[in-house]
Amino acid sequence: MLSDVTTPQDLDDRFRETLAALPAAPQRRDLADPVTDDAPLTGAQLLDLFDAQVASRQLDLAGRWLRSFGEGFYTIGSSGHEGNAAVAAALRPTDPALLHYRSGAFYCVRAAQVAAAVPASAADTPTPAVDDPEPAAEAPESASDAEPAGSATPTGGFGGYAEAARDVLRGMVASSEEPIAGGRHKVFGRADLAVVPTTSTIASHLPRAVGMGLAVERLRRLDTAGRRTGTGVRVGSGAGAAHVPWPPDAIVVCSFGDASVNHASATAAFNTAGWYDHAGLRIPVLFVCEDNGLGISVRSPEGWVEATLRAKPGIRYFSADGADPLRAYTVAREAAAWVRRYRRPAVLHLRTVRLMGHAGADAESAYRSPAELAEDLDRDPVVATARLLVEAGVATADELLAWYDETGWQVRRLAEEVLGEPKLASAADVVSALAPRRPVRVARAVADAAARASGPGAGAREEAFGGKPPELVGPMTLAQSINAALADGLLDHPQMAVFGEDVAAKGGVYGVTKGLRDRFGAARVFDTLLDETSVLGLGLGAGLAGMLPVPEIQYLAYLHNAEDQLRGEAATMQFFSRGAFRNPMVVRVAGLAYQEGFGGHFHNDNSVAVLRDVPGLVVAVPARPDDAAPMLRTCLASAAVDGSVCVFLEPIALYHTRDLYADGDGEWLAGYPEPGSWVAGHVPIGRARVYRVGSADDLTIITFGNGVRMSLRAAAVLAEEGVGTRVVDLRWLAPLPVADIIRESSATGRVLVVDETRRSGGVGEGVIAALVDGGYVGAARRVAGVDSFVPLGPAARHVLVSPEAITDGARTLLAR
């Protein structure tokens, strides 16, 4: 039967042959009795797990069948990993789960649990003989002993798994009626199941899981600022008030493959969870490593995964064999109860096998021997569960085979049904869930914040600012304005938190967050460990849990090693969940060039191409103090209202700039607006600001960031030569203010694009493209940075844009 690859037919044949060879038990066992002496599961409960495993297996077979005639688009399956059904059974259906792509049986159990309205799991029985410190006094004891598996009937069959099967099949055929991604991708996810979709195959969702655990625990500890309502927590009363759908004592579970333990994102997540645990901050996360020994074709060295997981400081290690359903359930229940009781991280190392290869196109014969394939077949978890059921007298082999065939028929029938369902029919359909924009609601949120700040919150605001609100301080720098706007944001959004490297005690490297921790406390303004992936992961998880995170990346260059947390995790959440889940976030990034005395690509990085390429991401660049506060308010409101992911890119060289034309003129300072003027000064996303110098009829300069100040200086020189200039500050690099670009360019017919980033991949390319696409027919020219990293000292002037280069570019353009 088996040659050099395990096929769907191999699995089916082996299952039938094994069951046919099993002798019947001497007597039938009562389904309400433990399946064996002192077993943690009754016969009925184990039969439920078997049903979930069979449903998952038949889904894998259906996926290969669909692909065989070009109707299926996804063949990475769960075969060999069906032991994760026991993990799902050991958890509560309200524990948020982030599942990797071999979690079919887990998903089936979770769907059946919810369908049967099972409130909790037998996992909640306290685990005896733990040798760790006593839990915090407020940590709840688990006490529920409800059934662990999903089906409400003890007779086997498709039962409560039909809905889960339909979900998965719809994902396989890219049906627009698929409940989470709507045909955009095949993922495991559904809001009512507390299953958060992930598209990761390399554990990039693990930092988010740590962030979720941190947020769940923080929200659990809230008393006056957040109050429990039903099974969730209502946080705040302002514009960003959010409902957290998970109970206060929920734990977060995330699954991943053994090869992923080597990935930087997994290492970051383990390290962060352990780091916080070592510091005494509780993070209730259960990591589940499903170890089949392979990363596509690359073997995990024998013993490496266990040694790696055991060595993680601050993370308790549990281990079980996924082919032993009783042991897997026992250990998973123990692990879940330990995490729930002590609110600390743990890892469950679940040993599995991989059947039918990595995916449909995977030829295992290139890297595995027939003997290895046969050995894995002998450890088939579905066969193992069937054998236990028969030997225990819970069911006969014929009954199990009949249920297996019935499930296969039902799955095939559902597959044929979903084939006729509609697909996404247009680009508009595809992007509809990407990044919703409701500018009217955002503007209303800003207005409501203003009303609260000047009304019922006026007293608290005056107290927070030490009796002197920022509008009474006088002209401010860019850094001071951002600081005041952050304080106003923290006042208006009770669930908002500011965090990052050095932002708390030190107040930021450049003093932008100075004093915020003293005013709002260490729970809302705190330092993180030095790892950008973890900083963003904390933000992702916190946003998903109902908070409004404002993480800081200390320098733009530091973002690049963690960029996938924005691209692959943050920006995709609403896209792959049709808005059912969202991770609102405002990421503050200190960046761009022109820092005197600094060099290298780390502290003087002028590359933003990677940000502008992320679909749906908002990128804001405030140049002046009087733009910074309203733009930050807009970003916070957009995050709270629309779930937007915003990058607030702050030009370091302008943080403490005071003058524009001459030393001491103070013209780069600006007063902070009082709440009554916030509405009139509201800056919508994607709207530029225009400065008019002289007649403003001869030339349009389009720029942003440091380019605004340099362009205004150049415009003053040109005005002395009789040239009238309008300087357009883009303010938003994504989405670009296209309408403003076209209007202001057409007004003069001559456009100079001043781009402080690089000529290749810089912002200027996008501006020129917008002009062309918009039908602009006038003259255009670019002044941009050289395609180079920024060197140290005076050498930087050779590769960066200067006011002189802008003036020369304008003269050349005017001479045409």
Side-chain angles (χ1 to χ4, degrees):
M1 176 192 73
L2 183 65
S3 56
D4 60 354
V5 63
T6 307
T7 68
Q9 189 64 44
D10 291 332
L11 281 186
D12 189 72
D13 289 346
R14 177 63 69 92
F15 181 79
R16 295 176 186 280
E17 291 172 3
T18 302
L19 260 65
L22 292 177
Q27 62 182 24
R28 294 296 293 251
R29 182 179 299 269
D30 190 314
L31 293 178
D33 291 340
V35 69
T36 63
D37 294 341
D38 300 322
L41 295 171
T42 65
Q45 292 170 338
L46 183 62
L47 190 60
D48 283 340
L49 290 186
F50 174 75
D51 289 341
Q53 292 179 327
V54 169
S56 178
R57 175 63 56 83
Q58 292 289 1
L59 285 169
D60 285 359
L61 300 180
R64 302 298 178 106
W65 173 69
L66 288 165
R67 183 60 179 162
S68 70
F69 53 91
E71 290 290 349
F73 306 104
Y74 199 92
T75 55
I76 296 178
S78 305
S79 293
H81 285 242
E82 290 91 351
N84 58 37
V87 179
L91 294 161
R92 295 177 180 176
T94 50
D95 290 329
L98 297 88
L99 305 178
H100 76 146
Y101 51 52
R102 300 198 190 278
S103 301
F106 186 113
Y107 186 77
C108 287
V109 170
R110 176 62 64 90
Q113 285 175 325
V114 173
V118 178
S121 143
D124 301 326
T125 303
T127 304
V130 292
D131 56 3
D132 290 78
E134 286 299 312
E138 68 272 21
E141 291 286 347
S142 301
S144 174
D145 58 358
E147 302 234 340
S151 174
T153 63
T155 55
F158 203 40
Y161 306 109
E163 188 174 5
R166 189 186 298 273
D167 292 348
V168 175
L169 290 166
R170 282 171 163 166
M172 290 179 180
V173 301
S175 166
S176 61
E177 296 183 13
E178 191 269 335
I180 191 70
R184 292 168 181 83
H185 194 53
K186 189 267 183 187
V187 295
F188 292 114
R190 246 176 59 191
D192 62 321
L193 306 185
V195 176
V196 180
T198 72
T199 60
S200 168
T201 62
I202 51 171
S204 66
H205 58 296
L206 267 61
R208 179 200 296 276
V210 175
M212 289 171 64
L214 183 69
V216 164
E217 185 63 8
R218 176 185 182 275
L219 296 173
R220 187 180 74 85
R221 293 170 181 269
L222 287 177
D223 42 34
T224 57
R227 294 177 172 80
R228 299 180 186 181
T229 57
T231 61
V233 176
R234 174 69 62 178
V235 184
S237 58
H243 183 72
V244 182
W246 310 308
D249 62 344
I251 68 173
V252 179
V253 59
C254 55
S255 59
F256 55 98
D258 54 288
S260 293
V261 301
N262 306 300
H263 197 271
S265 55
T267 299
F270 296 139
N271 185 68
T272 301
W275 190 88
Y276 277 115
D277 186 79
H278 186 77
L281 187 62
R282 298 309 185 214
I283 298 183
V285 176
L286 177 61
F287 299 102
V288 180
C289 178
E290 299 187 13
D291 181 4
N292 63 27
L294 289 162
I296 303 184
S297 67
V298 179
R299 303 174 194 276
S300 295
E302 184 66 31
W304 170 251
V305 176
E306 179 176 349
T308 299
L309 296 177
R310 281 187 178 276
K312 301 299 182 186
I315 301 178
R316 188 178 178 96
Y317 177 84
F318 296 86
S319 178
D321 183 359
D324 181 347
L326 298 183
R327 181 60 181 164
Y329 175 75
T330 298
V331 174
R333 181 177 65 174
E334 179 184 357
W338 189 88
V339 173
R340 195 181 313 279
R341 183 182 184 192
Y342 291 104
R343 319 304 294 170
R344 298 178 63 187
V347 61
L348 170 59
H349 184 192
L350 188 70
R351 289 174 173 82
T352 65
V353 294
R354 192 179 71 190
L355 303 175
M356 293 198 298
H358 176 72
D362 182 24
E364 290 185 284
S365 59
Y367 57 91
R368 303 188 78 190
S369 69
E372 288 178 291
L373 299 176
E375 184 179 350
D376 274 4
L377 265 177
D378 289 340
R379 294 189 61 235
D380 184 341
V382 181
V383 171
T385 304
R387 181 182 292 111
L388 180 58
L389 287 167
V390 172
E391 292 175 349
V394 175
T396 67
D398 288 341
E399 288 171 335
L400 295 183
L401 185 57
W403 293 333
Y404 174 85
D405 286 336
E406 172 68 14
T407 299
W409 181 85
Q410 294 282 7
V411 168
R412 186 71 62 90
R413 178 182 61 81
L414 288 175
E416 292 175 347
E417 288 181 7
V418 301
L419 278 176
E421 292 182 348
K423 307 292 192 294
L424 294 167
S426 67
D429 288 344
V430 172
V431 302
S432 61
L434 178 61
R437 298 275 184 266
R438 293 177 290 184
V440 174
R441 293 192 183 186
V442 170
R444 187 182 306 134
V446 172
D448 291 344
R452 287 188 291 270
S454 59
R461 184 170 184 264
E462 184 171 351
E463 181 181 355
F465 284 108
K468 192 173 185 180
E471 58 267 25
L472 302 180
V473 171
M476 288 185 168
T477 62
L478 179 70
Q480 291 169 329
S481 182
I482 294 171
N483 178 280
L486 286 170
D488 269 325
L490 286 161
L491 285 165
D492 191 59
H493 300 272
Q495 77 280 26
M496 176 176 158
V498 175
F499 53 90
E501 301 160 18
D502 302 303
V503 304
K506 184 178 177 64
V509 174
Y510 296 95
V512 181
T513 56
K514 185 177 181 180
L516 294 181
R517 187 187 69 166
D518 294 339
R519 277 182 270 175
F520 297 98
R524 301 190 65 196
V525 182
F526 57 90
D527 291 324
T528 64
L529 72 176
L530 197 154
D531 177 62
E532 286 70 31
T533 294
S534 297
V535 171
L536 293 178
L538 292 175
L540 288 169
L544 195 65
M547 294 174 62
L548 182 56
V550 184
E552 179 188 288
I553 301 297
Q554 198 166 87
Y555 287 100
L556 175 60
Y558 297 174
L559 175 67
H560 299 314
N561 62 50
E563 184 268 336
D564 189 56
Q565 291 295 301
L566 288 179
R567 182 198 65 83
E569 292 292 318
T572 62
M573 180 51 68
Q574 295 202 78
F575 183 73
F576 287 127
S577 71
R578 294 193 292 181
F581 294 101
R582 61 186 210 167
N583 36 223
M585 186 162 61
V586 180
V587 185
R588 294 182 46 251
V589 183
L592 301 175
Y594 298 97
Q595 289 191 85
E596 293 294 334
F598 282 95
H601 66 294
F602 260 36
H603 299 96
N604 257 344
D605 184 28
N606 62 342
S607 175
V608 299
V610 72
L611 294 173
R612 294 189 60 249
D613 186 55
V614 179
L617 193 70
V618 174
V619 182
V621 183
R624 289 183 53 90
D626 46 348
D627 277 333
M631 289 174 68
L632 183 54
R633 273 192 289 274
T634 296
C635 287
L636 292 172
S638 183
V641 171
D642 291 329
S644 301
V645 180
C646 304
V647 173
F648 200 73
L649 181 57
E650 302 164 5
I652 297 173
L654 298 177
Y655 269 150
H656 306 298
T657 297
R658 307 177 67 85
D659 307 322
L660 174 55
Y661 300 114
D663 291 346
D665 66 16
E667 293 199 29
W668 205 253
L669 302 173
Y672 189 86
E674 52 88 21
S677 63
W678 290 0
V679 174
H682 173 58
V683 178
I685 291 175
R687 289 304 307 272
R689 177 174 181 174
V690 182
Y691 300 85
R692 289 174 169 80
V693 181
S695 66
D697 293 332
D698 302 311
L699 173 68
T700 300
I701 298 178
I702 299 177
T703 188
F704 64 95
N706 293 286
V708 178
R709 183 170 180 269
M710 291 187 291
S711 295
L712 287 173
R713 290 166 67 93
V717 173
L718 293 170
E720 295 176 355
E721 301 172 8
V723 177
T725 305
R726 53 188 67 199
V727 176
V728 180
D729 178 3
L730 294 170
R731 297 195 292 196
W732 308 91
L733 304 188
L736 282 172
V738 174
D740 295 333
I741 290 171
I742 301 299
R743 183 188 65 250
E744 298 301 324
S745 300
S746 300
T748 64
R750 296 185 185 89
V751 178
L752 182 67
V753 180
V754 176
D755 180 6
E756 67 174 286
T757 63
R758 301 165 191 169
R759 180 165 292 273
S760 299
V763 176
E765 290 182 341
V767 174
I768 295 295
L771 288 169
V772 173
D773 291 344
Y776 173 73
V777 294
R781 182 178 176 85
R782 276 196 297 161
V783 176
V786 174
D787 289 342
S788 169
F789 299 112
V790 181
L792 181 64
R797 300 169 191 167
H798 299 305
V799 299
L800 296 176
V801 173
S802 66
E804 293 76 21
I806 298 171
T807 305
D808 291 344
R811 290 172 180 148
T812 301
L813 184 61
L814 291 165
R816 288 185 179 179

